[in-house]
C-alpha cells in the first residue's frame, strides 16, 4: 500500500524537490524522472525507482501498480500524492502524474564496453541540458552505445536532461572523463575518432566510417578546441548554405550520427 | 546620441519587458531579439530595430554604433542602459549586452515564393519554441526558403524561438496557415509534400526528392494526424534502432532536410 503524502512540509517532499538542484543530487546520489513513458523505459532497462510518486487517479494504472510493487520489494517506497505536490516536485506547470526517484548510475569510462555498439557519441563541455538529453535520445535511435561527456558538461541527471532524453538516459551508457583520460582509453582499443569542426573542408559524407566510430562534438558556443580537433583521426564539417555558421549541437550530432548509421546500413 | 534609461519604472522598459508575453507582442506588433550576433543577422537581412538597448561598455562597438545610427535615421531609438535592466528585459540571468526590438513580420502564406528555394520546412502544431527556433536555424543551414507553420504552433516571435533560431528568424521566410489553406496553396504550384510519419515502412532515404520538396513534421507528442499524413505525396520514416519510437522534432526535421540537401548536392 502506498504511503499518502499531501503536506508540502513533508520531509521527503522537501528532499525530492531539492533534487532539482545539482548539489543535492550529488549529496543524495539520486535524481528525478517524470512520466509513465520514461519510467517504463527505465523498467525495461532494469532500473527501479527508489521512490515512485503518483496521484490517486493513476494508482490503478498497470505500470504504476507493477512499479510500485517492484520498488517496494526492492526496499523502495510508493507514495500517493496530489497534483499540487507533483507540480512542486517537477517544477512544471502541467506535471506528469507519475514521478520516479532513481539512484544515480556510475559514470566511469572504464565501465564502457566499446564492442557493445558501432557508434559512440562524445560531447565536450556541453552546456545545455536539453541538448544533452536530446543527444541521448538520438543515440538511442541510431543504436549508439552511449554518450561520453568530456570535461565540464552539464549534469546528465538534471531534470531537463532526463526529460529531453525521453528515457534514453536509462538505455544509453553515460560516462564522464577528462580529455587526456578519454584519449588514453580510446587509443587502447579500436575505433575512429571523428571531430565535428568548422575549421576543415572535409565533407562529413566523404570518409568511410568504421565500426566503432566515435563522434566528437564540441561546446555549443565555442565548438571543439583546436588541439582537441587536431587529436581526432578525422575532422569533418556539415555543409551549410545559409547565413549562419553553425548548427545546434544536438542537431549537428544527429546529422552526423545518421550518416554513420546510414553507411553501416548500406554495409 | 542614445537616450539613457536606468529606472525599472520607465514606461518603455515596462513595454519592452511585456514583449516576453504573447498577448503584448500581438498588441504592440513587436518582438525581442538579443545579442550582437542575432542583431547582425537581422541587419544583413535588411531588418533594423525600432529600439536598440545597449550598455555603456558596448556603446563603442562598431555594430552597435552602426545599428543605433541606422535605427535613429529610420525613426527608431537607441537606448543606453545597464545590465540589471537588460536582465529584466531578457529574463536571462546572464543577459546579452545588446537587445533589439523589431516589428513583427507579416506571415501570410500568399507571400511565400516557392521558386526561391529547393527545400521548404513545414511544421504542424509545434509546441516547443526551442524546437521552432532550432528548425529555423536548420532551415538556414540547408538553404531552405523558410518555415510554414500549420495550425496552432507556438509563436515564432517568442523570445525562446528567436534565441534558438540564432538569427535565422530574419533570414528564413515564416508563414502561418491552417491545413486546408496550406494544401490549396501547395497544390496550386510545384513541389512534393513529404510527411515524416511513424506509420509507414518507407525509408527516408528511398525516395528521390525533387526541387522543391516540402518536408512536413508533426506535433512533438502526437506526430502527424493520420489524415494529414494521407494527404502527403510520400510518407517516410527515419529508421530507429533503439528502445524509443521517435526522435526530437527538430532533430527529425534536420535529419530529413539533410537527406534532401545531400540528394540535391549529388545532382
Amino acid at each position: 500500500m502506498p504511503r499518502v503524502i499531501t503536506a508540502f512540509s513533508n520531509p521527503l517532499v522537501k528532499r525530492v524537490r531539492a533534487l532539482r538542484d545539482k548539489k543535492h543530487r550529488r549529496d543524495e546520489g539520486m535524481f528525478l524522472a517524470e512520466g509513465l513513458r520514461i519510467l517504463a523505459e527505465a523498467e525495461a532497462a532494469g532500473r527501479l525507482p527508489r521512490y515512485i510518486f503518483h496521484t490517486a487517479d493513476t494508482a490503478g494504472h498497470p505500470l504504476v501498480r507493477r512499479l510500485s510493487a517492484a520498488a517496494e520489494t526492492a526496499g523502495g517506497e510508493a507514495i500517493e500524492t496530489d497534483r499540487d505536490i507533483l507540480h512542486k516536485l517537477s517544477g512544471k506547470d502541467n506535471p506528469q502524474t507519475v514521478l520516479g526517484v532513481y539512484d544515480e548510475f556510475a559514470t566511469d569510462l572504464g565501465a564502457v564496453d566499446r564492442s557493445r555498439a558501432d557508434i559512440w557519441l562524445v560531447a565536450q563541455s556541453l552546456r545545455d541540458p536539453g541538448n544533452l538529453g536530446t543527444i541521448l535520445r538520438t543515440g538511442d535511435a541510431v543504436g549508439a552505445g552511449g554518450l561520453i561527456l568530456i570535461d565540464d558538461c552539464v549534469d546528465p541527471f538534471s531534470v531537463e536532461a532526463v526529460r529531453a532524453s525521453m528515457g534514453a538516459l536509462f538505455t544509453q551508457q553515460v560516462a564522464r572523463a577528462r580529455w587526456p583520460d578519454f584519449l588514453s582509453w580510446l587509443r587502447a582499443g579500436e575505433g575512429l575518432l571523428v571531430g565535428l569542426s568548422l575549421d576543415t573542408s572535409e565533407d562529413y559524407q566523404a570518409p568511410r566510417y568504421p565500426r566503432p566510430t566515435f563522434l566528437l562534438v564540441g561546446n555549443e558556443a565555442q565548438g571543439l578546441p583546436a588541439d582537441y580537433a587536431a587529436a581526432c583521426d578525422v575532422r569533418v564539417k556539415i555543409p551549410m548554405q545559409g547565413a549562419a555558421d553553425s548548427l545546434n549541437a544536438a542537431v549537428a550530432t544527429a546529422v552526423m550520427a545518421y550518416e554513420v548509421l546510414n553507411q553501416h546500413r548500406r554495409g
Side-chain angles (χ1 to χ4, degrees), chain A:
Chain A
M1 284 298 291
R3 171 151 62 126
V4 175
I5 297 182
T6 54
F8 282 95
S9 58
N10 179 283
L12 183 61
V13 168
K14 289 188 173 173
R15 268 178 70 205
V16 171
R17 192 192 187 299
L19 294 179
R20 285 163 56 194
D21 179 71
K22 184 177 181 178
K23 183 190 170 304
H24 285 101
R25 283 198 299 277
R26 198 173 42 216
D27 291 348
E28 295 263 14
M30 300 193 298
F31 68 98
L32 293 172
E34 307 153 287
L36 278 175
R37 183 169 163 173
I38 295 185
L39 269 63
E41 294 275 7
E43 185 197 26
R47 306 268 183 191
L48 289 174
R50 255 232 259 164
Y51 301 99
I52 175 170
F53 290 79
H54 61 82
T55 52
D57 42 311
T58 47
H61 190 288
L63 177 66
V64 172
R65 292 170 64 162
R66 196 168 69 227
L67 280 179
S68 297
E72 286 174 338
T73 303
E77 202 173 0
I79 293 132
E80 189 172 299
T81 187
D82 56 41
R83 290 188 73 86
D84 287 343
I85 289 189
L86 282 176
H87 168 63
K88 178 169 173 157
L89 295 180
S90 80
K92 281 186 88 170
D93 284 342
N94 193 11
Q96 301 272 357
T97 54
V98 183
L99 188 149
V101 178
Y102 292 84
D103 289 325
E104 287 195 359
F105 326 142
T107 55
D108 305 320
L109 189 56
V112 171
D113 172 11
R114 73 181 78 192
S115 70
R116 276 184 57 217
D118 295 332
I119 303 176
W120 292 86
L121 304 180
V122 190
Q124 177 255 336
S125 297
L126 207 64
R127 285 283 176 266
D128 185 88
N131 282 340
L132 193 155
T134 302
I135 289 174
L136 282 168
R137 186 176 178 187
T138 299
D140 177 87
V142 298
L147 174 61
I148 301 168
L149 299 168
I150 304 293
D151 298 345
D152 294 315
C153 285
V154 66
D155 184 3
F157 299 108
S158 74
V159 174
E160 296 79 11
V162 176
R163 195 180 281 156
S165 86
M166 292 295 281
L169 177 72
F170 294 101
T171 60
Q172 291 283 290
Q173 189 150 15
V174 179
R176 292 189 266 207
R178 308 305 300 183
W179 176 244
D181 299 327
F182 167 70
L183 268 190
S184 304
W185 173 87
L186 179 80
R187 297 313 184 191
E190 279 190 86
L192 187 80
L193 180 61
V194 180
L196 257 174
S197 169
L198 300 174
D199 300 322
T200 176
S201 57
E202 180 85 345
D203 192 283
Y204 81 113
Q205 294 200 296
R208 295 302 89 184
Y209 297 112
R211 305 167 193 252
T213 286
F214 291 81
L215 287 181
L216 172 61
V217 61
N219 167 267
E220 289 93 341
Q222 267 83 45
L224 277 185
D227 54 327
Y228 287 37
C232 293
D233 298 304
V234 187
R235 286 149 296 281
V236 295
K237 74 182 294 186
I238 297 172
M240 276 171 279
Q241 320 283 312
D245 61 357
S246 69
L247 289 161
N248 166 277
V251 161
T253 305
V255 170
M256 269 300 310
Y258 266 95
E259 173 61 23
V260 178
L261 174 63
N262 288 336
Q263 288 192 15
H264 292 175
R265 291 201 294 154
R266 288 196 293 269

